[in-house]
Amino acid sequence: MLDKLKTLQSEAEKLEPNTVERAKIRDLVVGYTEQFLAELPVSKGYNNNQAPASTSIFDEAYADEGIDPNELISRTGLEVDVQGINPASGNHLGYVPGGGLYTSSLGDYWADITNRYAGIFYANPGAVRLENSLIRWLSELVGYGAESFGNLASGGSIANLIAIVTAREAYNIVPANIEKHVVYCTDHAHHCIKKALKIAGLESSPIRYISMNHAGQMDIAELESTITLDTKSGLIPWLLIGSAGTTDLGAIDPLSAMADLAKDYQLWFHVDAAYGGFFLLVEDQQEKFEGIERSDSVVLDPHKGLFIPYGLGTVLVRDGNKMKSAFAVSASYLQDINDVLDPSPADVSPELTKHFRGLRLWLPLKIHGLGPFRAALSEKILLAQYFTEKLLGIPGFELQLSPELSIVAFRYVPEDLDPNQFNQRLTQAIHEDGRVFLSTTTIDGVFVLRLAILVFRTHINTIDLCLEILEQKVQILNQQLNSKLVN
Ligand SMILES: *Cc1c(COP(=O)(O)O)cnc(C)c1O
């Protein structure tokens, strides 16, 4: 047996490279990522080639023997970091981007090496205190008091799910009364809300889609009349969902008026600020969010508005005890745990063992300070205005809506052609070009392009390039279409 243990140990010890071996692998990864960063300013925002490599590393067998790290890194990189959208690029102007701060990656590196257990206070009081400090800072940012609590989840979708489960438990919704509990939102609420309702077993709750005004904001009069009607017919108005920055248009719902109604009719008021929430760091933007402090729960995505790499969405609940009782369960193997000093992430989340996500947010906030974040967010707002002004100077372009934050929805209106078809072809041309990436949406049957400025690396030169590409592609399309008409 001792011989066998010895053999096994010497093979297993390959899992622990020594200092020299570590440096070798680390230098290769760092060399690769440094090259990636060096090329980033001239990299495309999008590569629409989706064909697999002719000999793909992903088709090779998982062998007992390892392969050369140099070959592994370069071949993997070639197949991963080339195709599709480039989220690290400042030229990513589609959906809701963020970028990925370098200092955050070092937080991940650190957290992965020390592998501190941040799920439960007694397992690592410091790690949990660090995460709770971030939650307190976020709570103060939205204007919640000391009794609030929250969680650093993996993204906005899970954060919204946690909020919805908390709201469900706070209203004692059980299978027998699900169909009586009504949800109110607009058609521009993010689709993850619907998904969360489904996962939470609430798919049969009626959803009232309240109309929006011309600015994409919830119509308050219609909200109130719908709530009144539901109450009269014996239903229970339960969950009011506002968006602070819709994904489509960046519109902010009238949060203050919604908070008033939520109070009058005793609804749970949830604000999805996954995209827009961090604009609260910009002083002249704060009044747009008035009323958010009276919500019951809020979601903010640091992997959007704080430029952290993917994998961090946060949920805050104004009355933290509601969150704790929503997730409270016990298990005998956890009997040693008695977190009297600080509440634990595992008490308010579906997760038990989790990545120590706090460090990836803590490090950038503390290394850079808040100043550069405020400046970057303020810059994005201004860039959206700059883009708008310049775009309207190009004949044929029109706005769907003036930008509320950093999303601009617009289209080109051609002289004789169907505008929806034209703008689809315009999008295709931009995607084939790939230097910048834009996404699209449809508002009341109108196909529009979306420019979402949120990567910290996006500056005025990118916006100028984007305008140049738009003008150029429109010109080419018009020429092609006119020559077709003539022939
Ligand atoms: C991005 C987004 C979500 C979903 O968050 P993920 O982090 O992608 O899971 C939810 N709501 C809004 C408004 C968003 O912009």
Side-chain angles (χ1 to χ4, degrees), residues 295-366:
S295 63
D296 294 289
S297 50
V298 177
V299 163
L300 303 117
D301 258 1
H303 65 200
K304 290 174 176 166
L306 287 180
F307 325 121
I308 301 297
Y310 292 142
L312 191 56
T314 55
V315 52
L316 305 168
V317 176
R318 185 159 49 99
D319 180 351
N321 284 330
K322 293 199 171 134
M323 200 182 184
K324 288 172 203 159
S325 46
F327 285 87
V329 282
S330 56
S332 48
Y333 53 83
L334 300 177
Q335 64 192 5
D336 309 333
I337 295 162
N338 179 16
D339 288 346
V340 284
L341 292 177
D342 255 61
S344 295
D347 294 341
V348 293
S349 154
E351 293 180 291
L352 177 59
T353 305
K354 70 175 203 83
H355 179 60
F356 178 20
R357 296 184 186 109
L359 265 182
R360 69 204 314 276
L361 181 54
W362 171 259
L363 232 53
L365 290 178
K366 291 291 179 177

Side-chain angles (χ1 to χ4, degrees), residues 96 154-158 160 188-193 243-247 272-276 299 301 303-304 312-313:
V96 180
S154 58
S157 300
I158 300 297
N160 273 301
H188 282 184
H190 194 276
H191 78 276
C192 76
I193 299 278
S243 305
T246 57
T247 314
D272 181 2
Y275 154 60
V299 163
D301 258 1
H303 65 200
K304 290 174 176 166
L312 191 56

